[in-house]
Amino acid sequence: MSSTKNAAVVNYSEQKYSVEIREIPVPEIGEEDILLEVENVGVCGSDLHQWTSDHSWPVNYPVVLGHEFGGKIAALGARVAGWKVGDRVVSETAAVIDQQNPMSKVGLYNLDPTRKGFGYGVNGAMTRFVRVPARCLHNVPANLSFEEACLTEPCCVAYNSVVGNSNIKPGDRVIVIGPGTIGILCAAMARLCGAEVGVLGLEGDRARLEIAKQAYGCEPLVGEEAAEAWAKKRDGLGADLIIDAAGHSITLKIAMKIVRPNGQITKVGWGPQPLNFSIDPIVQKNIRLQGSFSHNWPIWERVIALLASGALNVKPIIGGVWPITEWHEAFEKMHSGQVVKSVLKPV
């Protein structure tokens, strides 16, 4: 290791914009951990929410941001088996779980209420070295670049919401609300499942909607009226499935309006705002409303296979790679919607 201290993107308080570069030591690892040398780390919408301080989850300040990452194993804890120094890996996000929790015991440790993730609960990967429990690791095939592999995590969020928690069949009409990373990846997953997909955004989202169209064959929809017309085009009743990937509660109102009777709404985006509207249409239309949170081990294995085979191509959504010292530009470009996904590289 070339130095004892490394530049890190640190979120140091709850005040707005409390993010800066700090020099931090190489972390100590425990017996069941590995030390990962980070190759690339993706910027997530939740990193942006912590930066602008409009998040709705507890944060252990100060904390190194970043939970979408891959790299090479630099050191192994004494009890780690099955891995060696130099292995190419990506890491899951559930940094701390209670193995005795009933959710963990059935493999749904992502739903363990005491779970803590990288980048908010423990130090994340927007730095050169990160401590990772060996149970979080997945092998990255040689043909998959780290710039793509670091997006395994948001792809897993999309896979769980579309495949795990939604009922989707070839020929279904699906509308995804919100053309951010998760929204566009949900749209790509729905296309892989054989659905016709529209992606709903605002006037300022046209560039991102165009990526959804060109890269994944989705219909760009600007504004609620366009979405309603597209949803009802086939038989006048609405879309089979609405995936709400926007970070605002109000979008549920649009989802209830454009979903067909006996259809489904899967909510994967969240915002702390109160609703201030009635959810009666869920009853009246006999709608299933399903939340979707995070992912677990088998989903990661499946998604890595999709990425490695080329069935899922994430290159079109990567808007650029910045050194972590230029995190601010990478955050701004993503926050303003100029790019879908920013990727950082440690220095």
Side-chain angles (χ1 to χ4, degrees):
M1 285 160 230
S2 58
S3 77
T4 52
K5 294 231 169 174
N6 295 282
V9 182
V10 176
N11 183 194
Y12 56 88
S13 96
E14 204 161 333
Q15 298 298 308
K16 253 187 189 308
Y17 308 121
S18 297
V19 173
E20 66 184 12
I21 290 284
R22 291 185 179 179
E23 293 282 315
I24 65 162
V26 175
E28 301 279 319
I29 62 168
E31 290 188 329
E32 296 181 355
D33 300 325
I34 61 105
L35 186 68
L36 186 73
E37 183 161 15
V38 179
E39 287 280 341
N40 286 105
V41 52
V43 179
C44 175
S46 63
D47 295 312
L48 302 180
H49 283 308
Q50 283 179 226
W51 172 51
T52 55
S53 201
D54 56 3
H55 57 286
S56 49
W57 51 88
V59 177
N60 284 340
Y61 302 103
V63 71
V64 179
L65 291 172
H67 60 266
E68 305 175 357
F69 61 99
K72 292 175 183 161
I73 296 177
L76 301 164
R79 292 173 58 192
V80 174
W83 298 101
K84 62 185 189 301
V85 170
D87 279 350
R88 303 175 82 244
V89 294
V90 284
S91 169
E92 294 188 33
T93 52
V96 179
I97 59 170
D98 173 9
Q99 306 269 18
Q100 299 309 311
N101 186 277
M103 285 288 118
S104 300
K105 286 188 169 186
V106 295
L108 295 174
Y109 48 83
N110 52 312
L111 303 179
D112 166 9
T114 66
R115 166 194 180 276
K116 288 188 175 70
F118 291 106
Y120 70 89
V122 303
N123 279 340
M126 287 186 186
T127 183
R128 194 157 165 228
F129 294 100
V130 61
R131 182 181 87 177
V132 177
R135 64 173 169 78
C136 291
L137 300 178
H138 293 263
N139 186 53
V140 174
N143 68 321
L144 189 60
S145 75
F146 279 114
E147 283 175 23
E148 296 163 79
C150 77
L151 300 197
T152 306
E153 196 275 340
C155 291
C156 289
V157 171
Y159 188 97
N160 196 26
S161 61
V162 175
V163 183
N165 288 314
S166 303
N167 181 11
I168 191 168
K169 295 184 287 302
D172 277 354
R173 237 168 149 70
V174 175
I175 289 184
V176 177
I177 302 177
T181 302
I182 299 299
I184 291 180
L185 289 173
C186 283
M189 285 290 175
R191 292 284 293 138
L192 280 176
C193 294
E196 293 178 42
V197 182
V199 182
L200 171 59
L202 303 169
E203 195 58 50
D205 294 323
R206 284 192 184 273
R208 296 191 295 180
L209 291 170
E210 191 58 26
I211 290 170
K213 180 184 180 180
Q214 297 296 335
Y216 304 111
C218 302
E219 183 72 24
L221 303 166
V222 175
E224 193 178 328
E225 281 181 20
E228 190 171 8
W230 190 84
K232 293 183 174 178
K233 195 172 177 183
R234 195 182 283 170
D235 64 3
L237 287 178
D240 299 283
L241 169 66
I242 313 294
I243 297 169
D244 184 351
H248 299 280
S249 302
I250 192 69
T251 47
L252 181 61
K253 194 172 188 180
I254 299 169
M256 291 189 302
K257 190 174 179 184
I258 61 180
V259 69
R260 72 191 289 106
N262 204 40
Q264 186 182 3
I265 299 168
T266 299
K267 195 148 174 44
V268 63
W270 53 355
Q273 315 87 355
L275 288 177
N276 294 326
F277 56 83
S278 168
I279 58 168
D280 282 356
I282 289 172
V283 181
Q284 191 181 15
K285 285 184 166 182
N286 201 83
I287 302 306
R288 282 155 299 138
L289 175 60
Q290 167 79 48
S292 185
F293 180 71
S294 194
H295 30 67
N296 62 356
W297 196 89
I299 291 173
W300 278 73
E301 288 293 299
R302 186 59 56 95
V303 165
I304 290 167
L306 286 171
L307 290 168
S309 72
L312 177 62
N313 178 15
V314 292
K315 285 182 198 156
I317 67 167
I318 299 172
V321 181
W322 288 264
I324 60 163
T325 45
E326 291 172 30
W327 68 270
H328 194 271
E329 184 186 338
F331 277 36
E332 277 288 356
K333 279 220 176 345
M334 201 167 141
H335 189 56
S336 63
Q338 290 176 64
V339 302
V340 176
K341 173 63 76 175
S342 296
V343 172
L344 299 177
K345 188 153 182 72
V347 293

